[in-house]
Amino acid sequence: MVTGFPLRDRIALAAAVAGPLLLALILVPFRGGVSSTNLALIMVVATVAIATAGNRLAGGLAALSSSAWFDFFLTRPYQSFTINRGADITTAVLLLAVGLAVSQLAARARRLEVLVVTDADYLARVHDTAQLTQTTRSADAVVDHVKQQLTELLQLRGCRFEYGSLLGHPARLEQDGSVTVGRKRWDIDQRGWPQRDIELRASAGGRFQGRFMLTPAPDTRPDLQARLVAATLADQAAAALDTAGPSRQEQ
């Protein structure tokens, strides 16, 4: 059993393993009268459904599983991972590539859906930060603004920004709103914040700009929507830093 994931994601991971296999078996009686391309499209539909219901990992696993079982059951020679026809090889590769791409889009859409349904206060924070980013010439001003936003949004005792390289191995607020301590997920909904400084990394265009160090207040449990908005605010600060180039001083 996969631990460290919400129940919805655990179900999706199980479906990613078993679903494509079952679907391929269902399609076996029709493989003689239906083209490989159409069979592959049906497998892609399953991948999309799993990725939408679960997370990026489930979508990627479903894409790999769909490609493998399409090869094994639906292309000649049957019951073999060998493919003789060039057209079937191309179809299998495209099935994997499209499945992986769609799973990424579906996972991103799931995250955006969470932001869409959040309350007006959350949206206002994102909007105000975006507006400041566009109107100010000071990236440091954006960082200061985001520090204040994070303090209020996550009910923190304090927040500071550290430029440059990473030091130590603090607990981390991830981009998907989860919290990790070491290599393990921390159940913030049940346990609250870890009682130590927590990093929220700020990156833009694949370039690391620094991190916000969050000092949590006791017995606080910001919901997932708040944590996702916090990650979005950190990304906005990173974009401002990447564009303007701040003075490398801790604020």
Side-chain angles (χ1 to χ4, degrees):
M1 181 178 182
V2 179
T3 59
F5 291 99
L7 178 60
R8 171 178 171 176
D9 289 343
R10 294 202 298 270
I11 293 174
L13 286 170
V17 174
L21 171 60
L22 294 176
L23 179 58
L25 289 172
I26 291 172
L27 293 175
V28 165
F30 306 99
R31 63 193 179 189
V34 180
S35 70
S36 296
T37 301
N38 288 334
L39 292 173
L41 288 174
I42 296 173
M43 301 296 287
V44 167
V45 171
T47 299
V48 173
I50 293 168
T52 303
N55 55 17
R56 185 176 286 105
L57 176 60
L61 185 59
L64 292 170
S65 181
S66 293
S67 180
W69 295 125
F70 170 79
D71 178 2
F72 190 81
F73 288 110
L74 304 178
T75 65
R76 297 179 183 275
Y78 299 131
Q79 282 76 59
S80 170
F81 287 110
T82 301
I83 303 178
N84 289 337
R85 295 177 58 214
D88 287 341
I89 294 175
T90 302
T91 300
V93 171
L94 288 175
L95 170 59
L96 176 60
V98 171
L100 289 173
V102 170
S103 72
Q104 299 300 307
L105 293 173
R108 180 172 176 80
R110 177 182 169 188
R111 176 181 171 183
L112 292 177
E113 179 184 5
V114 174
L115 291 177
V116 168
V117 300
T118 194
D119 64 32
D121 176 67
Y122 292 165
L123 293 176
R125 293 179 188 276
V126 174
H127 175 269
D128 290 347
T129 304
Q131 190 172 45
L132 177 63
T133 301
Q134 294 172 358
T135 57
T136 185
R137 294 184 178 180
S138 171
D140 293 329
V142 177
V143 170
D144 288 339
H145 174 79
V146 170
K147 286 194 296 185
Q148 180 180 354
Q149 294 291 311
L150 292 176
T151 300
E152 297 172 359
L153 179 66
L154 302 176
Q155 305 171 38
L156 304 173
R157 285 193 300 158
C159 178
R160 68 184 187 274
F161 189 78
E162 296 181 350
Y163 296 101
S165 59
L166 299 173
L167 295 174
H169 302 281
R172 183 188 307 166
L173 174 57
E174 305 284 1
Q175 289 294 308
D176 64 359
S178 64
V179 176
T180 56
V181 177
R183 297 183 178 180
K184 296 182 179 180
R185 286 186 177 241
W186 179 274
D187 190 346
I188 186 173
D189 295 320
Q190 294 295 324
R191 305 174 67 180
W193 287 113
Q195 290 308 298
R196 64 185 74 177
D197 281 354
I198 301 156
E199 71 172 8
L200 171 58
R201 296 183 178 183
S203 300
R207 292 179 290 275
F208 175 72
Q209 298 295 329
R211 62 184 178 182
F212 291 92
M213 296 302 296
L214 317 175
T215 303
D219 301 321
T220 53
R221 293 174 173 81
D223 60 24
L224 175 60
Q225 288 86 352
R227 302 194 305 267
L228 285 171
V229 171
T232 300
L233 293 173
D235 288 344
Q236 289 176 305
L241 292 169
D242 187 53
T243 300
S247 60
R248 302 295 181 180
Q249 297 176 356
E250 183 177 309
Q251 305 296 310

